[in-house]
C-alpha cells in the first residue's frame, strides 16, 4: 500500500521519526558508552550524525558489524548467517571481515566444512583479490584430515574452490590450478575438471613461462582437447626425459596429431620395458594399422593384459577376437564379462562362434555371452541367438532355452532384429504352468515386444490370488511399451498397494494402520508410478508409509508424496529430504518441483546448500526448474557457476535459459532401447531360494528409480534404460515363509 505525502498516515510517521530524533539529542550520552564512536573517529574524523547512544546507526544494525558478531557465535547456524550476510553485502570491508574470521586461528568457522563451503561460495565473486585467491588455493589443496575429520563435503568444497579460481581467467588463479594438476591427487583432479569447464582464453596464461612441461601438465593438455597445445607438446618428443616424451606423445595422440606416430613406431621397433602400453595407446588413438597387433600383444602379456582389455574396449576390431578369447581364463574373474562384451563389440563370424561356445564351456559367463550376441549386429549373431533357444540342445536344456529366449527379446528391443522363430517360442512359453520361470520369460517377451498386453496377460489378480511371477514379468515388459502401458497397471497397483493389501499371512494390525510391507506383486506393479508421478489413486497415508519403508517402492512413493505436500505431511517430507538414502532424497526433490505449496522452493534451496551427492543436486535443480518463485534464481545461478558436477551445471544453465522445465524431467515413456540384464547368483548354493523372485531397485542413469522383481530363476531384464551406468540394489532377503519379500 502506498501513502501520498500529506496524508494523516504519512504525517504521523514523520512526527514519530521527529520525536525519536529529538529524544536522541535531548539526552546525549558520554562517548565512551557509544560502541562505534571510537572506530568512527579513527576512520576519519568526527562521528556521523546520530551516533549517540540513543540512536543506533543503520550500518550497526544491519551491516558488517552484525555479520562479524554472527561469525563469532558458537551456533553453527548463526555463523552460516554471518557468512551469507557478509557475502551478500560484498563490499571490501565485508570481504575483509569474512577473510579475517576464517583465517583466525582456532575460529569455529575454520573447522566447519559447511561454513567453509558457504564462505567459498560467498567469496567466489572476489576471487581476483590476492587474499581471496590465497584462501581458495588453501581450500583446493589442503586435505580434509589436515583440517579435522574427513567430511563428505570435501569433494564439493575442493571442486567449488577450483571453479571459483578457473572462472576468473586470471593468470595467478590459473597458476594455482596448474600447480595442483602437477602435484596430482584429489586437488589435481578438481583443478583439471574446473579448467575443462572454463578453458583459458590463452594457453600462455596456463603455461606461464615454462620452458618444458611437466608430464602431468602435458597429459592434462591432451585431455583438454585444445589444439593450440600441439605447439607446446611437440618439442617434448625429443630430449632425455622419457616420462615427458611418453606424456607428450600420448597427449598429441589424443589431440589427433600424427607427430606422435613416428615416435610410437620407433618404440615399437626397439621395445623397452614400460613402453608397451603407451605405444599401443598412441597407435589406437591415431588409428594406425599396427594398433590391433599391439593391443593383442598386450592381451598376451601378464603385466599389460588389463590395459590391453581397456584398449580393446576403446577400439573394437575383429582381429582382436582370438586374443580376447585366449585371455579369458587369464583375466581376473570380475574382468571376464568385460572381455566377453569386447568380443561382441568386435563383431564378425569368429566373434559369434566364440560367444556361442561359452554357455556350455563356461556357464558362469553364459549371461554375458548371450547379452553380447543379443546386441551384436549381423546375421551370424542372429543365427547364434536362434540356436540358443531353438537348437537341438535347447530342447533338452531348459536353462539354455530361457537364456536364448531372453537374448532374442533383447535383440528385438535393442536392434529390432529378432530371430524369426522367436515369436512362436515366446507364445509357446506363455502356456507353461503359472509361477514357472518358462512362463515368466514368455510373459516378459510377449509384453515387451508388443505381442500381448500386460493387463490381459496378468488377468485377475488380488492380494490373495495372483500369478505373481507373471505380474513381475509383465510389469517389466510394460517398461518397453511406454507411458500408456505403464498407466494401464495403475488400477492393479492401487489394489495391491492399498492399506491392508499386504501379502497373505501378514500382520493384521500393521495392515490396518497402512504400514504393512507391500507384496512383491505390488512392488512390480509400482512401475505405474512412473506414469503417475502424483501417485494416482493411492491414499496419501499409504504413500507416506511406502516412502518411509525404505524398499524398492520408496523413491517413487516419496516423489508422489512430495507432490501432495500440505501442512499434514510436510514434516514427513522434510525428514525424507534429510534422510540417509540419496535416491529417496533425489525423488523428494523431484516431487517438490510439482508441490502446490509455494514455500516448497525454500525446502529445495536449503537442501541444495550442503548436499554432497551430485545425483541429488541434479534432482534439486530439476525440481527448481519447475518452480516460478523468485527464490529459485539464486540457487540456480550458484549451481550454474560453482557446482563441481558438470551435469548439475548443465541442468542449471538450461533452467535459467528458459528451457521448458518438462524437458529437464526424467522421461516417463520408453525413449531408450537399452536393456539391463542381471543374473542374481547366491554366494551359497543352499541359499538359491533367496535369488528367486527377489525384489530390487534399479536406478537409471538419469536418476529415476524403477521397482522390479526378478523371475523365479533369479534373472532380471529391465528394458527402456537410457545410456549410461545404472545401479541395482537388491532388497534384503526375507526370512522363510514371509511372502512379502
Amino acid at each position: 500500500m502506498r501513502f501520498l505525502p500529506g496524508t494523516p498516515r504519512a504525517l504521523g510517521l514523520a512526527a514519530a521519526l521527529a520525536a525519536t530524533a529529538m529524544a536522541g539529542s535531548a539526552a546525549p550520552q558520554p562517548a565512551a558508552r557509544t560502541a562505534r564512536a571510537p572506530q568512527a573517529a579513527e576512520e576519519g574524523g568526527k562521528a556521523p550524525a546520530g551516533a549517540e547512544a540513543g540512536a543506533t546507526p543503520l550500518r550497526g544494525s544491519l551491516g558488517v558489524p552484525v555479520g562479524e558478531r554472527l561469525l563469532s557465535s558458537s551456533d553453527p547456524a548463526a555463523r552460516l548467517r554471518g557468512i551469507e550476510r557478509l557475502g551478500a553485502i560484498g563490499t571490501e570491508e565485508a570481504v575483509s571481515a569474512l577473510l579475517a574470521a576464517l583465517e583466525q586461528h582456532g575460529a569455529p568457522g575454520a573447522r566447519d566444512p559447511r561454513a567453509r563451503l558457504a564462505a567459498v561460495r560467498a567469496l567466489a565473486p572476489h576471487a581476483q583479490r590476492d587474499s581471496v585467491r590465497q584462501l581458495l588455493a588453501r581450500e583446493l589443496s589442503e586435505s580434509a584430515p589436515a583440517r579435522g575429520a574427513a567430511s563428505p563435503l570435501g569433494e564439493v568444497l575442493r571442486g567449488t574452490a577450483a571453479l571459483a579460481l578457473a572462472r576468473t581467467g586470471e593468470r595467478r588463479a590459473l597458476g594455482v590450478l596448474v600447480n595442483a594438476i602437477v602435484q596430482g591427487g584429489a586437488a589435481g583432479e578438481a583443478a583439471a575438471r574446473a579448467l575443462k569447464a572454463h578453458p583459458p582464453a590463452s594457453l600462455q596464461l596456463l603455461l606461464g613461462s615454462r620452458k618444458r612441461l611437466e608430464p602431468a601438465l602435458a597429459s592434462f593438455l591432451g585431455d583438454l582437447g585444445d589444439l593450440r597445445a600441439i605447439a607446446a607438446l611437440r618439442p617434448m618428443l625429443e630430449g632425455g626425459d622419457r616420462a615427458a616424451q611418453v606424456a607428450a606423445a600420448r597427449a598429441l595422440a589424443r589431440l589427433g596429431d600424427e607427430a606422435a606416430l613416428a615416435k610410437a613406431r620407433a618404440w615399437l621397433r626397439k621395445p623397452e620395458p614400460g613402453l608397451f602400453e603407451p605405444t599401443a595407446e598412441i597407435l589406437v588413438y591415431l588409428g594406425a594399422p599396427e594398433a590391433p597387433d599391439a593391443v593383442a600383444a598386450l592381451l598376451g602379456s601378464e603385466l599389460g593384459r588389463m590395459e590391453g582389455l581397456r584398449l580393446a574396449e576403446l577400439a573394437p576390431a575383429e582381429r582382436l577376437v582370438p586374443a580376447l578369447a585366449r585371455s579369458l581364463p587369464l583375466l581376473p574373474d570380475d574382468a571376464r564379462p568385460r572381455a566377453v562384451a569386447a568380443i561382441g563389440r568386435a563383431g564378425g563370424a569368429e566373434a559369434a562362434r566364440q560367444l556361442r561356445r561359452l554357455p556350455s564351456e563356461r556357464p558362469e559367463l553364459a549371461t554375458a555371452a548371450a547379452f553380447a550376441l543379443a546386441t551384436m549386429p549381423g546375421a551370424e549373431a542372429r543365427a547364434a541367438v536362434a540356436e540358443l533357444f531353438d537348437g537341438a540342445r535347447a530342447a533338452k536344456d531348459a536353462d539354455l532355452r530361457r537364456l536364448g529366449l531372453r537374448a532374442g527379446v533383447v535383440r528385438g528391443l535393442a536392434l529390432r532384429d529378432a530371430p524369426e522363430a522367436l515369436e512362436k517360442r515366446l507364445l509357446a512359453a506363455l502356456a507353461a504352468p503359472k509361477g514357472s520361470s518358462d512362463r515368466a520369460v514368455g510373459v516378459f517377451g510377449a509384453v515387451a515386444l508388443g505381442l500381448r498386453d500386460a493387463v490381459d496377460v496378468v488377468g485377475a489378480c488380488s492380494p490373495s490370488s495372483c500369478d505373481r511371477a507373471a505380474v513381475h514379468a509383465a510389469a517389466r515388459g510394460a517398461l518397453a511399451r511406454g507411458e500408456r502401458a505403464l498407466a494401464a497397471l495403475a488400477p492393479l497397483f492401487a489394489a495391491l498397494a492399498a492399506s491392508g493389501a499386504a501379502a497373505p499371512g501378514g500382520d493384521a494390525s500393521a495392515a490396518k494402520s497402512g504400514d504393512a510391507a507391500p507384496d512383491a506383486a505390488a512392488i512390480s506393479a509400482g512401475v505405474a508410478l512412473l506414469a503417475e508421478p502424483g501417485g494416482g489413486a493411492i491414499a496419501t497415508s499409504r504413500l507416506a508409509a511406502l516412502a518411509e519403508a525404505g524398499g524398492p517402492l520408496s523413491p517413487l512413493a516419496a516423489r508422489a508424496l512430495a507432490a501432495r505436500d500440505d501442512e499434514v505431511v510436510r514434516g514427513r517430507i522434510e525428514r525424507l529430504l534429510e534422510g540417509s538414502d540419496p535416491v529417496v532424497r533425489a525423488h523428494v526433490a523431484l516431487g517438490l518441483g510439482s508441490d502446490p505449496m509455494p514455500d516448497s522452493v525454500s525446502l529445495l534451496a536449503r537442501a541444495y546448500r550442503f548436499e554432497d551427492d551430485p545425483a541429488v543436486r541434479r534432482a534439486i535443480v530439476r525440481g527448481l526448474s519447475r518452480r516460478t518463485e523468485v527464490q529459485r534464481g539464486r540457487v540456480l545461478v550458484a549451481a550454474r557457476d560453482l557446482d563441481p558436477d558438470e551435469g548439475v551445471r548443465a541442468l542449471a544453465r538450461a533452467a535459467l535459459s528458459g528451457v521448458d522445465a518438462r524437458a529437464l524431467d526424467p522421461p516417463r515413456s520408453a525413449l531408450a532401447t537399452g536393456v539391463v540384464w542381471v543374473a542374481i547368483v547366491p554366494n551359497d548354493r543352499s541359499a538359491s531360494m533367496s535369488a528367486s523372485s527377489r525384489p530390487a531397485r534399479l536406478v537409471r542413469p538419469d536418476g529415476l528409480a524403477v521397482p522390479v522383481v526378478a523371475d523365479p530363476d533369479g534373472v532380471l531384464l529391465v528394458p527402456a534404460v537410457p545410456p549410461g551406468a545404472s545401479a541395482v540394489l537388491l532388497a534384503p532377503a526375507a526370512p522363510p515363509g514371509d511372502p512379502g519379500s
Side-chain angles (χ1 to χ4, degrees):
M1 181 180 294
R2 298 180 61 190
F3 295 99
L4 298 175
T7 63
R9 176 71 177 86
L11 290 174
L13 180 59
L17 291 174
T20 303
M22 289 173 63
S25 60
Q29 300 295 324
R33 297 183 61 185
T34 304
R36 299 291 293 176
Q39 181 178 347
E42 293 175 73
E43 287 179 356
K46 60 183 181 178
E52 293 86 359
T56 304
L58 187 63
R59 176 177 174 277
S61 300
L62 302 175
V64 174
V66 175
E68 292 175 318
R69 287 198 296 273
L70 290 170
L71 276 174
S72 63
S73 171
S74 60
D75 180 11
R79 293 197 299 268
L80 288 174
R81 291 198 303 273
I83 291 170
E84 291 168 352
R85 180 184 290 269
L86 293 175
I89 294 172
T91 63
E92 185 173 349
E93 181 185 11
V95 172
S96 298
L98 180 52
L99 286 169
L102 292 171
E103 294 175 351
Q104 183 180 353
H105 181 69
R111 299 190 302 271
D112 183 358
R114 292 190 170 202
R116 289 159 53 201
L117 178 56
V120 167
R121 288 169 175 163
L123 293 170
H126 312 282
Q128 291 183 333
R129 290 183 52 172
D130 287 343
S131 54
V132 174
R133 184 176 62 254
Q134 292 167 10
L135 181 139
L136 294 175
R138 287 197 300 273
E139 293 295 352
L140 172 64
S141 61
E142 291 185 5
S143 61
R147 301 289 293 269
S151 167
L153 285 175
E155 184 177 351
V156 180
L157 186 53
R158 281 191 299 270
T160 304
L163 282 169
L165 290 166
R167 288 179 69 240
T168 67
E170 191 262 337
R171 178 178 57 81
R172 288 172 292 184
L174 296 180
V176 171
L177 297 173
V178 169
N179 290 336
I181 290 173
V182 171
Q183 292 172 8
E189 294 173 2
R193 289 193 296 267
L195 285 173
K196 290 176 185 176
H198 297 283
S202 167
L203 278 185
Q204 195 57 41
L205 292 173
L206 198 66
L207 304 181
S209 58
R210 285 176 166 81
K211 300 289 185 183
R212 303 282 289 183
L213 305 184
E214 295 88 344
L217 182 54
S219 298
F220 167 72
L221 291 176
D223 293 335
L224 185 61
D226 192 329
L227 296 181
R228 295 175 298 176
I230 291 176
L233 291 168
R234 280 180 174 176
M236 296 178 63
L237 293 176
E238 306 301 330
D241 189 347
R242 182 51 56 84
Q245 287 182 21
V246 170
R250 277 177 152 161
L252 287 168
R254 293 189 177 209
L255 293 172
D257 183 50
E258 293 193 355
L261 190 56
K263 180 64 69 174
R265 283 173 171 162
W267 291 337
L268 199 60
R269 287 192 297 270
K270 296 181 179 179
E272 298 180 24
L275 289 180
F276 295 110
E277 294 180 13
T279 299
E281 180 181 322
I282 293 165
L283 295 172
V284 164
Y285 270 104
L286 293 176
E290 305 97 326
D293 292 336
V295 174
L298 278 179
L299 288 167
S301 68
E302 184 177 357
L303 296 179
R305 190 167 290 123
M306 291 303 298
E307 176 66 9
L309 176 57
R310 184 185 73 86
L311 294 175
E313 294 171 322
L314 185 66
E318 290 188 34
R319 287 163 58 188
L320 288 175
V321 170
L324 285 166
R326 288 192 298 269
S327 73
L328 272 177
L330 305 174
L331 285 166
D333 289 347
D334 58 351
R336 291 174 187 173
R338 289 175 52 195
V340 173
I343 292 174
R345 293 181 62 190
E350 178 61 18
R353 189 179 72 83
Q354 293 286 351
L355 293 172
R356 187 164 42 193
R357 294 166 44 193
L358 287 179
S360 57
E361 295 181 3
R362 294 188 173 275
E364 73 279 7
L365 296 176
T367 298
F371 190 81
L373 285 169
T375 54
M376 187 175 88
E380 299 94 343
R382 183 174 64 250
V385 170
E387 184 180 342
L388 287 177
F389 68 79
D390 206 26
R393 287 189 61 239
K396 303 175 183 178
D397 189 339
D399 291 339
L400 181 65
R401 183 173 63 253
R402 288 194 297 270
L403 182 76
L405 287 174
R406 287 174 172 130
V409 174
V410 172
R411 188 173 186 85
L413 293 172
L415 301 180
R416 304 290 190 264
D417 185 30
E420 292 183 5
L422 179 65
E423 180 176 342
K424 175 183 175 182
R425 295 300 180 187
L426 286 175
L427 296 179
L430 279 174
K434 290 184 177 182
S436 66
S437 296
D438 286 347
R439 175 168 163 77
V441 171
V443 168
F444 172 79
V447 174
L449 295 177
L451 306 177
R452 291 289 186 273
D453 183 77
V455 176
D456 293 340
V457 171
V458 171
C461 184
S462 66
S464 59
S465 176
C466 189
D467 182 358
R468 285 172 170 75
V471 174
H472 307 330
R476 285 185 278 108
L479 292 168
R481 306 313 302 169
E483 187 174 355
R484 182 176 298 179
L486 295 175
L489 293 170
L492 174 63
F493 175 59
L496 293 172
S499 176
D507 187 345
S509 61
K512 289 181 180 179
S513 68
D515 292 333
D519 177 50
I523 292 174
S524 286
V527 295
L529 289 176
L530 293 169
E532 295 188 346
I538 306 300
T540 300
S541 60
R542 186 59 176 152
L543 282 175
L546 292 173
E548 294 168 345
L553 277 174
S554 181
L556 291 181
R559 181 178 70 163
L561 182 68
R564 298 184 184 184
D565 182 22
D566 58 23
E567 294 179 358
V568 177
V569 300
R570 170 58 67 90
R572 303 177 84 164
I573 292 172
E574 289 178 340
R575 288 192 292 273
L576 289 168
L577 190 58
E578 297 169 359
S580 60
D581 188 340
V583 178
V584 172
R585 295 201 303 270
H587 283 70
V588 173
L590 291 174
L592 288 174
S594 304
D595 185 352
M597 304 285 282
D599 64 338
S600 63
V601 69
S602 299
L603 290 181
L604 289 169
R606 287 199 300 271
Y608 176 83
R609 293 168 72 200
F610 305 117
E611 175 57 59
D612 58 90
D613 192 295
V616 181
R617 297 201 302 275
R618 290 182 211 126
I620 292 172
V621 170
R622 282 187 165 110
L624 287 170
S625 70
R626 299 184 68 91
R627 309 302 308 187
T628 58
E629 296 85 357
V630 68
Q631 295 97 315
R632 79 174 199 144
R634 183 178 178 184
V635 181
L636 289 177
V637 169
R640 178 196 65 190
D641 294 342
L642 294 173
D643 196 285
D645 181 71
E646 182 181 359
V648 175
R649 295 196 302 273
L651 287 168
R653 278 195 303 270
L656 289 169
S657 67
V659 171
D660 187 348
R662 291 172 297 183
L664 303 183
D665 285 344
R668 300 183 190 179
S669 56
L671 300 178
T673 58
V675 183
V676 171
W677 188 339
V678 177
I680 305 173
V681 181
N683 295 325
D684 186 350
R685 290 185 179 181
S686 63
S688 59
M689 288 302 298
S690 66
S692 178
S693 300
R694 185 74 171 267
R697 179 178 78 188
L698 181 136
V699 181
R700 302 187 328 193
D702 57 12
L704 208 59
V706 182
V708 291
V709 180
D711 287 335
D713 57 356
V715 176
L716 268 171
L717 277 179
V718 186
V721 178
S726 297
V728 177
L729 177 65
L730 298 180
D738 181 2
S741 63

